[in-house]
Amino acid sequence: MDSQLLRFNRTIFSIKPLNSPHFRSFTAPNFIRLSSLSFPTGLAFKRIRCAMKSYKLSELSHVEVESLKARPRIDFSSIFGMIQPIVDDVRSRGDAAVKAYTEKFDKVKLQKIVENVSELPYPELDPTIKEAFDVAYDNIYAFHLAQKSSEKSVENMKGVTCKRVARSIGSVGLYVPGGTAVLPSTALMLSVPAQIAGCKTVVLATPPGQEGCICKEVLYCAKKAGVTHILKAGGAQAISAMAWGTESCPKVEKIFGPGNQYVTAAKMILQNSEAMISIDMPAGPSEVLVIADKNASPVHIAADLLSQAEHGPDSQVVLVIAGEGVDLKVIEEEISKQCQSLPRGDFASKALSHSFIVFARDMVEAISFSNLYAPEHLIMNVKDAEKWEGFVENAGSVFLGQWTPESVGDYASGTNHVLPTYGYARMYGGVSLDSFLKYMTVQSLTEEGLRNLGPYVATMAEVEGLDAHKRAVTLRLQDIEAKHASSVR
């Protein structure tokens, strides 16, 4: 084994000697020969629970760099087989099926699965908590209201007027996870833009508490933001109920919100079914990529990485170190220290086991890798972060500078925290006001307009061999000519 080569920086756990010195600025080489590592006699080893793999971009091949953008994959083929029967059962049995699955999976027996929000009183909240959610609501409302665009008409040719008009989606479903953490912030992120858009029916689905009750913070946010119905169910059964509609749950036309692999699978199945619904975007486990230079605080770096790792064991976090002078030892120790003190440290530790650190020569290489990875959240904790914003092409949401933790976007800065994951930021944006709107184009031609444009349309229809299209124009042009001829007489 002495002569074997180990790809040391790809091991899942960092193994360090107890009480041994560390390099101040460690940039792990691509390969380290085992025989080149000398340890004191009788060395003890300690497994660092919250360690991450590390890579040096300049020493990786193009294929190896490309492979780093891959996320921990979910085997949806097997999950689809589990979820399809639930989807079908809810379609056929409605409320009864939702109650049965809620009792089976959540251990809650419900008499009633849907509550009309207007009939429920505002819950009493601690004043500090209420103020926090009120501030978040105001900021989210202000940011999304500013996304409203004015209607514009364009006269492309004399007598040819075109415009694009927005209409709200009539009924929408909002999924607010319950599982290992209650997320009333998600209720705000989804219901506020629906409220501004003017959606008439807004169904919010969230798993019930042990007594069949609704989380009071979720209810407060729902009432404040105009939700019309609350479906006390989670998982695939909730998605199915909103997609098909049941005796008590209105059918919706589009479903929004994050969720686990079962929720995601249900959304994927139903958007390709006779339910005729659309979904907001492909969703996966939460993720963050942090770009840090020598000016960044190790305490802040560790906190930002763990803020996403604590979401669950399937989350992924990435640290990109830009340039020299970054003390990796201090960052690793801070990650381990903070991770071990977190209530959800076990989740974070598991997420860190398939997360990694990347060493970039400079900011250009760091941002290039980030654009390849296309993170859900991108934190740029570097000097003069604002000047690098224009180079970012692929990210769900960007956080600039040392005083902008990702947490502010998760809760109350005003931006939306429902964002594309799994690299889908290359072609999707996060939830916005537009997500709750549909757009129609409108055109209006005068007689003069048809005379100006009609001959070109007729020519193009003739090229494509679509005679009925051509006649729809030429017959009108003939009527115009006949009318003019008669008026001349």
Side-chain angles (χ1 to χ4, degrees):
M1 185 166 179
D2 193 48
S3 62
Q4 288 181 328
L5 285 174
L6 295 182
R7 192 173 290 275
F8 185 77
N9 60 340
R10 292 198 179 195
T11 55
I12 293 179
F13 302 104
S14 175
I15 301 176
K16 299 180 180 176
L18 291 175
N19 304 316
S20 69
H22 297 278
F23 293 103
R24 175 168 176 76
S25 298
F26 175 74
T27 53
N30 196 29
F31 291 93
I32 291 181
R33 189 177 297 276
L34 189 65
S35 58
S36 70
L37 302 176
S38 60
F39 302 115
T41 305
L43 179 72
F45 290 95
K46 178 184 178 183
R47 169 173 158 175
I48 303 300
R49 186 180 175 198
C50 298
M52 297 161 67
K53 301 178 288 291
S54 62
Y55 306 86
K56 192 172 182 180
L57 287 175
S58 62
E59 296 182 0
L60 298 180
S61 68
H62 174 73
V63 172
E64 288 174 318
V65 172
E66 283 281 329
S67 71
L68 290 179
K69 72 182 181 183
R71 274 50 165 192
R73 288 295 168 184
I74 297 171
D75 180 14
F76 276 111
S77 59
S78 61
I79 295 174
F80 285 152
M82 298 167 58
I83 298 303
Q84 187 67 60
I86 297 175
V87 170
D88 294 340
D89 194 22
V90 172
R91 182 184 187 182
S92 61
R93 294 201 299 132
D95 285 1
V98 176
K99 290 177 182 178
Y101 290 117
T102 300
E103 185 172 3
K104 178 179 179 180
F105 298 129
D106 298 316
K107 311 304 179 188
V108 178
K109 191 167 185 176
L110 296 173
Q111 298 300 318
K112 183 180 181 183
I113 67 169
V114 174
E115 300 284 355
N116 290 319
V117 177
S118 63
E119 298 174 1
L120 301 175
Y122 265 101
E124 288 192 18
L125 299 183
D126 177 277
T128 302
I129 294 173
K130 180 179 179 297
E131 182 183 12
F133 282 103
D134 286 345
V135 169
Y137 172 89
D138 290 343
N139 288 349
I140 296 166
Y141 194 98
F143 184 73
H144 288 77
L145 181 64
Q147 296 170 25
K148 268 194 169 182
S149 56
S150 57
E151 190 176 293
K152 295 179 181 178
S153 293
V154 179
E155 190 175 43
N156 299 319
M157 298 174 69
K158 184 68 174 176
V160 180
T161 303
C162 298
K163 63 180 179 179
R164 185 169 179 252
V165 297
R167 299 288 186 269
S168 63
I169 297 174
S171 56
V172 295
L174 317 178
Y175 188 81
V176 176
T180 61
V182 179
L183 301 176
S185 57
T186 300
L188 284 179
M189 295 292 173
L190 295 174
S191 57
V192 169
Q195 182 182 34
I196 296 169
C199 300
K200 295 180 178 61
T201 300
V202 181
V203 182
L204 187 152
T206 191
Q210 286 303 306
E211 303 300 321
C213 58
I214 302 164
C215 166
K216 62 182 181 180
E217 290 85 4
V218 170
L219 175 58
Y220 178 79
C221 294
K223 284 189 71 69
K224 191 174 181 72
V227 170
T228 59
H229 302 77
I230 293 182
L231 170 62
K232 298 186 292 185
Q237 61 270 25
I239 302 298
S240 302
M242 292 189 291
W244 296 118
T246 69
E247 301 94 315
S248 61
C249 181
K251 174 179 168 43
V252 304
E253 292 157 340
K254 188 172 183 178
I255 295 177
F256 299 79
N260 61 21
Q261 63 264 39
Y262 304 108
V263 169
T264 300
K267 288 169 70 176
M268 293 168 70
I269 288 171
L270 285 157
Q271 75 166 337
N272 294 299
S273 74
E274 294 177 6
M276 288 288 290
I277 57 121
S278 66
I279 64 174
D280 46 1
M281 69 190 80
S286 190
E287 59 193 35
V288 67
L289 186 147
V290 177
I291 299 178
D293 65 9
K294 63 183 180 182
N295 302 291
S297 162
V299 174
H300 297 172
I301 293 170
D304 287 337
L305 293 170
L306 290 169
S307 71
Q308 291 306 296
E310 74 171 350
H311 272 291
D314 52 357
S315 297
Q316 187 175 59
V317 300
V318 178
L319 172 60
V320 179
I321 294 175
E324 302 294 330
V326 176
D327 195 334
L328 181 60
K329 170 185 173 256
V330 174
I331 294 173
E332 287 185 325
E333 288 177 348
E334 191 62 39
I335 291 172
S336 184
K337 173 185 171 184
Q338 292 189 31
C339 181
Q340 290 168 18
S341 67
L342 287 172
R344 295 170 66 87
D346 285 344
F347 288 135
S349 179
K350 290 174 183 175
L352 290 170
S353 72
H354 52 74
S355 299
F356 58 91
I357 299 167
V358 165
F359 296 89
R361 287 169 291 195
D362 51 32
M363 278 297 293
V364 173
E365 188 172 62
I367 293 177
S368 294
F369 177 76
S370 177
N371 284 332
L372 174 70
Y373 186 82
E376 176 189 18
H377 306 99
L378 168 60
I379 297 174
M380 299 178 69
N381 193 345
V382 299
K383 184 179 180 180
D384 300 326
E386 289 77 11
K387 79 177 187 180
W388 296 104
E389 177 196 342
F391 295 90
V392 178
E393 295 179 357
N394 302 322
S397 192
V398 182
F399 303 81
L400 299 175
Q402 64 173 325
W403 307 119
T404 317
E406 185 275 332
S407 305
V408 298
D410 264 357
Y411 290 107
S413 67
T415 62
N416 208 290
H417 78 199
V418 181
L419 303 165
T421 62
Y422 265 47
Y424 281 106
R426 295 184 199 95
M427 68 289 288
Y428 283 89
V431 165
S432 66
L433 179 62
D434 275 358
S435 304
F436 294 84
L437 299 171
K438 55 185 184 289
Y439 288 88
M440 302 183 297
T441 53
V442 180
Q443 47 260 295
S444 175
L445 274 65
T446 63
E447 180 182 297
E448 181 183 8
L450 187 61
R451 290 179 71 182
N452 291 333
L453 183 61
Y456 301 112
V457 174
T459 297
M460 294 174 72
E462 186 174 353
V463 168
E464 294 188 352
L466 298 175
D467 285 353
H469 282 67
K470 177 181 177 181
R471 288 178 187 175
V473 172
T474 56
L475 290 174
R476 283 177 168 83
L477 290 174
Q478 289 170 15
D479 288 346
I480 292 171
E481 292 303 320
K483 185 174 73 169
H484 276 272
S486 62
S487 65
V488 170
R489 299 192 199 110

